[in-house]
Amino acid sequence: MELFKTLKRKKKYLIWVVTLVAVVILLKVTLLAPKRVKVVRVEKRDLTAEVYGNGTVEAKVVVGVSSKITGRIVELYADQGDRVKRGQLLAKLDNEDFLQQEQQSWAGLNRSAASLSVAQANLQKAKASLVLAEKNANRFKNLAEKNLVSKLEAEQYDTACRVAREEVARSQAEVKAMHMEQRASRANLGFARSKVSDTLIYAPQDGVIITRDLEQGATVTPGVSIFTMADPRVVWVKANVDESQLKGVAIGKKAMITLRSSAAEPVPGQVARLGHQSDRVTEELEVEVAFTDTLKDFRLGEQADVYIVTGTKKDAPALPSAAILTKEKKRGVWVIVEGRLAFRPVTVGIEDRRNSSEILAGLDGTDQVALAPPSSMAKFKDGMRVRRSP
């Protein structure tokens, strides 16, 4: 009986030992097992240095089409989204009053023309009377000198001659006044015509109607836009670029533009203009990146991302960007030495947005670099054991 109990105790202890060994083995295989990492090496790749900016689609030239006069809109000939040509009729204002003024000016011009004709006829009559009066005055003067007529009679004809000269002068002044009146009438007619013309609103340039701001029946005043139009030939993205990334950004640099409405279809562009004053709060500079090809359809204000190409390198030594991290203000990678991790500072050059970064110094093609999810790499320490993923 005692032997049976002893065997039973030994069996129990053996089970505990086996269980403990199994737990230890399980921990070593699972929780205490070395972290699995992917191993990458420096490889030659073609890299492109790009600067990122975010902004909105804008047009260089945006104008408001308005009226020079106050009036009621009676017709609209364009709508939002229409492409129009310079000189195309866009709107018409009520012009009845101005047409009446134009007819009144025409009547005034015709009246002044008739008055001028009368004045010119009177001038011709006065000139003819002067010729006759001069002849009579000269003849009676000669007769008076020969005592054939009295001096009183000769003086009467001389007085009539002077009156005839004054009449000619008066008629000439009247003709001159009629000419001035006619010029004033022409000016009034031109002013009336310009008012009638001002009731017709034409496109000031080729462009696209962005908005129709007023509708038929509305009263427009000078300076109030009826339409807002943009020139589609110069449409660009006004992007904000961080000051720290501006090195290499210059006018003419190529870029890729991604519109929010077509994120999967980037379109080419180039830097068209650089600002000269950064935002003092955000520390960003406004950079205008124009589309290489004119957009058929665009929406002002649409969000867009731009990637400005500042440099390229071929066959540059590179690593996946995810393998590079910052530790104690130093950029580096985790290299694997005899199954353990060691932090190795590196000098990084071009950082391609296709997840590749140039390695200028710190590594060679034989170094094994650990790559793991960011959450795992954040827990890496010097000397930590790791094992390579299959």
Side-chain angles (χ1 to χ4, degrees):
M1 187 68 178
E2 188 68 26
L3 179 62
F4 177 75
K5 290 182 178 180
T6 301
L7 291 175
K8 188 175 181 180
R9 282 196 300 271
K10 287 183 178 181
K11 184 178 179 181
K12 185 176 180 181
Y13 291 149
L14 182 61
I15 291 174
W16 277 104
V17 169
V18 171
T19 302
L20 181 61
V21 170
V23 170
V24 170
I25 293 174
L26 182 63
L27 289 174
K28 285 185 176 182
V29 173
T30 56
L31 297 179
L32 300 179
K35 295 286 185 181
R36 288 185 177 274
V37 296
K38 182 180 179 181
V39 175
V40 294
R41 290 183 172 85
V42 175
E43 298 178 352
K44 300 287 185 179
R45 295 182 182 178
D46 295 339
L47 301 178
T48 301
E50 295 176 320
V51 172
Y52 170 77
N54 175 265
T56 55
V57 177
E58 305 292 346
K60 181 180 181 181
V61 180
V62 178
V63 296
V65 181
S66 60
S67 169
K68 294 194 295 183
I69 61 174
T70 299
R72 182 173 58 86
I73 300 173
V74 294
E75 293 290 345
L76 290 171
Y77 302 103
D79 202 354
Q80 181 174 309
D82 291 348
R83 289 181 176 262
V84 298
K85 295 291 185 180
R86 180 178 182 179
Q88 181 176 332
L89 182 61
L90 301 181
K92 180 181 178 181
L93 307 183
D94 183 12
N95 60 2
E96 286 299 324
D97 292 343
F98 298 119
L99 288 175
Q100 294 296 328
Q101 289 180 5
E102 183 181 11
Q103 292 178 3
Q104 185 178 3
S105 298
W106 262 116
L109 180 60
N110 293 331
R111 183 177 62 251
S112 64
S115 298
L116 177 60
S117 298
V118 172
Q120 288 173 337
N122 290 334
L123 176 60
Q124 294 301 321
K125 179 181 178 182
K127 286 181 177 180
S129 297
L130 176 60
V131 171
L132 179 61
E134 286 177 341
K135 289 180 179 180
N136 289 334
N138 289 331
R139 185 169 63 252
F140 274 87
K141 181 180 179 182
N142 292 331
L143 291 174
E145 290 176 352
K146 297 176 181 180
N147 294 320
L148 296 176
V149 295
S150 66
K151 289 184 177 181
L152 179 60
E153 191 174 0
E155 289 175 356
Q156 289 176 346
Y157 279 100
D158 184 62
T159 301
C161 181
R162 287 197 298 270
V163 171
R165 287 195 185 98
E166 293 300 326
E167 181 64 22
V168 170
R170 187 197 65 78
S171 298
Q172 288 175 334
E174 185 179 7
V175 170
K176 186 176 180 180
M178 289 299 102
H179 277 297
M180 295 177 65
E181 182 178 346
Q182 194 170 47
R183 285 197 294 270
S185 297
R186 288 197 185 98
N188 289 335
L189 178 60
F191 179 74
R193 283 177 171 174
S194 69
K195 287 297 184 181
V196 173
S197 177
D198 287 343
T199 62
L200 302 176
I201 313 300
Y202 297 95
Q205 63 182 40
D206 294 352
V208 178
I209 302 297
I210 302 300
T211 59
R212 192 164 92 173
D213 304 312
L214 294 176
E215 296 298 330
Q216 184 174 334
T219 299
V220 63
T221 57
V224 175
S225 294
I226 303 173
F227 300 96
T228 300
M229 62 182 298
D231 187 348
R233 293 173 297 177
V234 185
V235 176
W236 53 26
V237 175
K238 284 190 174 182
N240 297 311
V241 178
D242 193 282
E243 292 174 334
S244 63
Q245 304 296 314
L246 286 174
K247 185 178 180 180
V249 177
I251 294 175
K253 288 288 187 179
K254 294 183 178 179
M256 294 302 295
I257 304 171
T258 302
L259 299 175
R260 189 175 184 184
S261 60
S262 54
E265 301 175 0
V267 293
Q270 65 279 330
V271 177
R273 190 165 66 180
L274 293 174
H276 288 279
Q277 180 170 287
S278 297
D279 189 298
R280 290 170 174 79
V281 177
T282 63
E283 298 180 351
E284 294 176 330
L285 182 71
E286 190 172 80
V287 179
E288 279 85 6
V289 181
F291 294 90
T292 300
D293 300 320
T294 302
L295 293 182
K296 293 182 179 179
D297 298 308
F298 61 90
R299 287 166 292 278
L300 298 186
E302 181 178 357
Q303 292 289 316
D305 297 323
V306 299
Y307 297 90
I308 303 168
V309 178
T310 57
T312 58
K313 282 189 179 180
K314 291 189 175 295
D315 295 330
L319 276 177
S321 298
I324 303 172
L325 68 156
T326 301
K327 181 181 179 183
E328 297 177 355
K329 297 183 179 181
K330 293 182 180 179
R331 302 197 72 185
V333 298
W334 290 104
V335 296
I336 303 174
V337 180
E338 296 180 354
R340 296 182 181 274
L341 294 176
F343 184 76
R344 180 82 57 80
V346 297
T347 303
V348 180
I350 292 177
E351 296 186 63
D352 196 306
R353 68 186 178 99
R354 292 168 295 183
N355 194 34
S356 293
S357 296
E358 180 187 15
I359 304 300
L360 297 176
L363 295 173
D364 57 39
T366 61
D367 291 317
Q368 298 183 6
V369 178
L371 178 62
S375 57
S376 298
M377 293 183 67
K379 300 176 183 178
F380 284 178
K381 296 180 180 180
D382 283 304
M384 179 185 290
R385 294 188 61 84
V386 294
R387 52 178 174 168
R388 183 172 181 173
S389 297

